[in-house]
Amino acid sequence: MRSARLCRTRRASAVTLVSAMTLTALAACGTSSSSDDGGTSQPTGSSDASAPLDPKAKVTITIDCMPPAAKAAELEEWKEDVAEFNKTYPNVTIEGRSTPGQCLEPPRFTAMLKAKSQPDVFYTYFTDLPQVLSEDGAEDISAYVNDKTVPLLRDIDPNVLGSLKQDGKLYGLPTSNYTMGLLVNRKLFEDAGLDPDAPPRTWEEVRAAAKRIAGLGEGVSGFGEYSAGNTGGWHFTAQLYSVGGDVVDASGKKAAFNSDLGRRVAENLRAMRWEDDSMGKTQLLKWGDLQKQIATDRLGMFLAAPDDIAYMVQQLGAKYENFGMGPIPGGRNTLAGGNGYMIKKGSSPDKIKAAIAWLNFKNLTVGKGQFDWARTKADKLPVGIPQPNFWLNESKAKDDAGRVEHATMPVANFKAFMDSPVPGKAEPPKAQEIYKILDNVMSGILTDKDADVDKLLSTAETQVNQVLANQ
């Protein structure tokens, strides 16, 4: 749900207007484009796909998800980055497209792909790759991406890059990634006599801690879960992964959650809800509801990605110091996701090279663009959240040091999460359709004391098998 926040299951936005804004930094250098191919002039320089863009090349590229005017600091950073980029590529015109509200909405995205109206460089979630390829929407950029065009390529987590590959071919470059962990309210942990620096590591420990927190009374819940808007199925998947289970088998053609591990997840939730009364009486919750509860000291913990913390501070008025994070309980696997950019099918070689040059500068360079933590802090934006962090080797050490040096929050609160990384596991095929079905399992457990867990899982299994059969 979001670039990071909604990479998981997209939130709908009421606003779908898209405006175009041309940004160039060095007007004196001039920019030009031809009128017959959407802004690309005659190819300039080497025809070798593996060679970087010729600095003299004249090309215009349209790019999705420029920050809207409402995000003034982020928009100013975008403009600064365009200006800096144009110092190297003075004849590349960046046309940013801004969508107020949620950048990527399912109906708009699907319609855009079918109409072939996507920008030259368009934003996607990792789970969008099959849909994009089914519409023949993205270029295979494998030949264009190497350690000359993306100098830190070898320091990018191969699992993250793998999310943008199919059949060995690369179709995009990442912007952010996330893995899920256990987000805790430090105040409630302390009030209940629990150590917020040592969040629960097993689901048995979660259950025990939730009972103690709920025992504080005054409407406080110990543990929260989603069960509506596809988010329940998303979190059921995360819990199942955490204990070593699978939602879909290795073939990708058969449901795998109607198992002993699936029943363990379901029965633990049923026990916390009805035996312990530690999950609160208000259910059918979706994304945003648990964030409001924990931000107002009414919820002790829930599964989340780290960027939820920034959302709660920036949008809900919470304080960074009130939150902590540990690895996902169970620790076998954690649901992983993220987002990136793809390049429109049919783009000229110069457009592809210009797009890769921009994405490398903006999103894939330690200390620059989105990883310029000194600038981020100066602009009063959050620094210190553990993710996105897809770096390895020296790049990881350098980026981590920058986050700590310029942190705007107590990074020690996330030490348990950072020190105990859990292997990431990708979302299942047909994720959103499967999550919608699994919502029924979660809502059944959490709203009906006498729910038949076996029947809920069996019914969902039949329905998911039908979805998978129609791939």
Side-chain angles (χ1 to χ4, degrees):
M1 304 169 119
R2 183 194 158 197
S3 134
R5 197 175 316 125
L6 273 232
C7 297
R8 288 83 84 176
T9 58
R10 303 185 187 120
R11 290 175 295 168
S13 167
V15 185
T16 58
L17 293 176
V18 179
S19 61
M21 177 177 179
T22 302
L23 300 172
T24 72
L26 299 180
C29 295
T31 58
S32 63
S33 62
S34 69
S35 60
D36 59 358
D37 79 340
T40 304
S41 68
Q42 296 82 9
T44 305
S46 173
S47 61
D48 179 6
S50 66
L53 179 68
D54 187 325
K56 298 179 181 179
K58 285 187 175 183
V59 60
T60 294
I61 51 175
T62 54
I63 302 179
D64 229 354
C65 295
M66 180 182 70
K71 294 187 175 182
E74 291 94 330
L75 179 56
E76 184 59 31
E77 288 185 353
W78 171 286
K79 293 178 181 179
E80 291 171 1
D81 286 337
V82 171
E84 186 66 24
F85 179 76
N86 281 148
K87 291 179 181 178
T88 302
Y89 301 104
N91 296 320
V92 174
T93 299
I94 304 288
E95 291 186 357
R97 294 188 178 178
S98 176
T99 306
Q102 176 63 18
C103 179
L104 184 57
E105 299 165 323
R108 182 182 76 89
F109 184 72
T110 298
M112 181 179 72
L113 287 176
K114 290 187 176 299
K116 310 297 183 187
S117 62
Q118 67 267 40
D120 302 318
V121 189
F122 62 101
Y123 175 99
T124 68
Y125 301 135
F126 290 170
T127 50
D128 289 326
L129 181 58
Q131 180 185 5
V132 172
L133 295 184
S134 72
E135 298 291 346
D136 199 26
E139 281 284 346
D140 170 11
I141 59 173
S142 306
Y144 292 86
V145 176
N146 53 64
D147 57 9
K148 292 181 180 178
T149 59
V150 182
L152 297 183
L153 184 64
R154 295 181 184 180
D155 283 357
I156 299 174
D157 185 339
N159 292 319
V160 173
L161 282 175
S163 298
L164 294 161
K165 290 182 178 180
Q166 183 165 302
D167 299 327
K169 298 177 180 179
L170 181 66
Y171 290 95
L173 290 171
T175 298
S176 69
N177 67 313
Y178 77 89
T179 56
M180 295 184 72
L182 186 68
L183 182 64
V184 305
N185 180 300
R186 293 178 63 87
K187 177 184 182 299
L188 293 180
F189 261 63
E190 291 172 351
D191 289 349
L194 300 167
D195 183 358
D197 294 323
R201 293 295 186 96
T202 68
W203 286 105
E204 292 78 13
E205 291 176 356
V206 169
R207 183 178 176 185
K211 287 176 69 174
R212 290 183 64 172
I213 294 168
L216 295 171
E218 299 183 358
V220 170
S221 300
F223 181 75
E225 261 304 359
Y226 302 127
S227 53
N230 294 18
T231 56
W234 166 47
H235 269 213
F236 183 88
T237 298
Q239 288 207 33
L240 185 55
Y241 282 3
S242 77
V243 295
D246 283 302
V247 169
V248 174
D249 70 6
S251 73
K253 298 179 180 179
K254 186 177 180 182
F257 54 81
N258 188 11
S259 63
D260 288 343
L261 290 175
R263 280 185 287 279
R264 184 199 302 179
V265 169
E267 288 292 353
N268 186 61
L269 285 167
R270 186 199 60 77
M272 284 197 291
R273 171 68 175 96
W274 298 107
E275 294 177 22
D276 303 342
D277 194 23
S278 63
M279 295 184 67
K281 293 180 172 53
T282 302
Q283 297 300 327
L284 299 180
L285 304 175
K286 58 185 181 300
W287 200 96
D289 295 329
L290 296 179
Q291 288 81 355
K292 291 175 184 175
Q293 290 182 9
I294 202 168
T296 54
D297 298 334
R298 292 184 292 116
L299 175 65
M301 53 187 162
F302 74 104
L303 296 183
D307 68 323
D308 278 13
I309 299 166
Y311 167 77
M312 291 186 292
V313 173
Q314 292 180 305
Q315 303 296 322
L316 303 179
K319 303 292 185 184
Y320 286 118
E321 54 267 26
N322 201 29
F323 303 112
M325 197 154 194
I328 194 168
R332 294 289 300 276
N333 292 290
T334 182
L335 192 147
N339 58 281
Y341 280 92
M342 297 181 188
I343 300 170
K344 186 176 182 179
K345 186 67 176 286
S347 297
S348 70
D350 272 1
K351 274 196 176 184
I352 297 171
K353 290 183 178 185
I356 291 169
W358 165 256
L359 294 174
N360 174 68
F361 174 81
K362 180 67 175 171
N363 300 319
L364 301 173
T365 304
V366 173
K368 299 289 186 182
Q370 71 163 335
F371 293 109
D372 185 345
W373 300 120
R375 178 181 69 174
T376 305
K377 180 178 182 179
D379 289 339
K380 295 181 171 52
L381 296 171
V383 180
I385 292 171
Q387 293 168 345
N389 196 340
F390 43 70
W391 297 117
L392 303 173
N393 310 320
E394 292 182 7
S395 294
K396 177 173 176 56
K398 183 178 177 182
D399 184 60
D400 286 349
R403 290 173 193 252
V404 172
E405 179 184 356
H406 301 290
T408 60
M409 62 192 72
V411 294
N413 289 3
F414 317 124
K415 188 176 187 328
F417 179 80
M418 294 298 292
D419 287 354
S420 301
V422 176
K425 188 177 179 70
E427 294 181 272
K430 297 284 186 176
Q432 299 307 317
E433 294 175 61
I434 290 174
Y435 294 164
K436 183 177 182 179
I437 293 168
L438 289 175
D439 267 2
N440 296 324
V441 175
M442 293 290 273
S443 62
I445 293 166
L446 298 177
T447 63
D448 182 359
K449 184 177 182 179
D450 299 317
D452 185 333
V453 168
D454 287 339
K455 184 176 181 180
L456 288 170
L457 290 172
S458 178
T459 300
E461 178 185 32
T462 298
Q463 293 171 339
V464 167
N465 283 336
Q466 291 173 346
V467 167
L468 294 173
N470 293 327
Q471 292 189 86

